[in-house]
Amino acid sequence: MKIHKEGRRILFFTLLALLAANLLLFRYNAENDGFNKVFAGISVIVFLTLLQFFRSPARRLFTHEDLLIAPADGKVVVIEDVHEPEYFDDVRKQISIFMSPINVHITRNPISGIVRYFKYHPGNYLVAWHPKSSTKNERTTVVVESEAGPFVLFRQIAGAMARRIVWYVNEGDEVSQGEEFGFIKFGSRVDIFVPVDTEVKVQIGEKVKGGQTIIAQLKTTAPTLF
C-alpha cells in the first residue's frame, strides 16, 4: 500500500504537530497521566484516519475502448436521464458515484481519448448528495472524445468535508483509461454524463472500484467484449 502524493505534506505536518503536542503534554502536564494517555490515543486515531484517506492501493486496471470504467471508488447513487447545461446543452444519461471518507479518493479516467473541454468552478460545499451539489459546489468538468467516438463528460464535485479538488488534465491532453486524472481530498462524488442510448452495467446502491468496475457500455460499431 502506497501513500498518494497529495497526502504526503499533510501527513508530515500533522505527524509533527501531534508529536509536538504529545511531548509538551508529557513534559509539562505529567501530573495528569490519564489525560495524556487519552490524548496520545486520540492522536494515533487521528493520524491513522488521515493515513487511510490518502492511501493509494495497487490496481490491476481494466481497459476497453467502448466500455466505461468507474472513475472512483464508492457507491452508485444516481442513474437517470437529465439535461446537462454546461457543455452538451441537451439530455444525457447521468451516473453518479458517491465517495465516503473511507473510500480511496483518487479519480481515474473512465475512458481513453482526447480532452476537448476542461473547466474548474469554485463554489460551495453542500453535502455531496444534495440535488444542487452538481451545479453549486466546487467542481471540475472534463469532456473527453473517446476512442470509440462518443463524448463523455465527467465531473469531480467537492462535498461538505472535501475542501480541495486536484486535477492533472488540460484541454488537448491525450488520456488513458484507468490513469489518474485527479484527487478529491476527503472524498465527495463524481458525476459521469454519457449519451442516453448508453447501456448502464451497474445499479443504484452498487459499490464500484475505480479503474476496475465496468459501469456502462457506449453505443458504437466497434468490436466489443459484450
Side-chain angles (χ1 to χ4, degrees), residues 109 115 118 142 154 167-171 173 175 180-182:
N109 297 304
V115 178
F118 173 85
V142 182
F154 41 101
W167 61 90
Y168 313 131
V169 296
N170 295 288
E171 286 187 20
D173 287 353
V175 296
E180 296 182 23
F181 80 84

